[in-house]
């Protein structure tokens, strides 16, 4: 059980680091993103283990990483745009 929690926490750290590396300007607080990824994955992995039971390590790790990705995505700052929006008017003459 402790191994699953630590494995999930490590995957949560990987998810958070990937999010920070992929979208560096879209997150306002990097330490919050890292902490959220770690804690969300550990809790998600433990809840998954409680639901499906012991012996399903892969499922627990994958769902823990999924919970971490979902909660880290909630920390995205919608006001910071890195890309430009395409025009809807079609061709300009």
């Amino acid at each position: 059980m402790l191994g699953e929690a630590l494995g999930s926490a490590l995957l949560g750290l990987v998810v958070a680091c990937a999010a920070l590396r992929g979208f560096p300007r879209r997150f306002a607080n990097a330490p919050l993103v890292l902490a959220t990824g770690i804690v969300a994955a550990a809790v998600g992995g433990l809840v998954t283990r409680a639901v499906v039971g012991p012996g399903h390590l892969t499922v627990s790790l994958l769902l823990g990483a999924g919970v971490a990705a979902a909660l880290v995505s909630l920390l995205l700052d919608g006001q910071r745009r890195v890309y430009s929006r395409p025009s809807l008017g079609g061709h300009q003459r």
Side-chain angles (χ1 to χ4, degrees), residues 24-42:
R25 290 178 247 174
R26 298 283 308 267
F27 292 103
N29 192 351
L32 178 65
V33 174
L34 293 172
T36 300
I38 292 169
V39 172

Side-chain angles (χ1 to χ4, degrees), residues 25-27 75-83:
R25 290 178 247 174
R26 298 283 308 267
F27 292 103
L75 297 175
L76 279 170
D77 188 6
Q79 300 299 322
R80 299 180 186 199
R81 298 249 182 223
V82 178
Y83 55 89

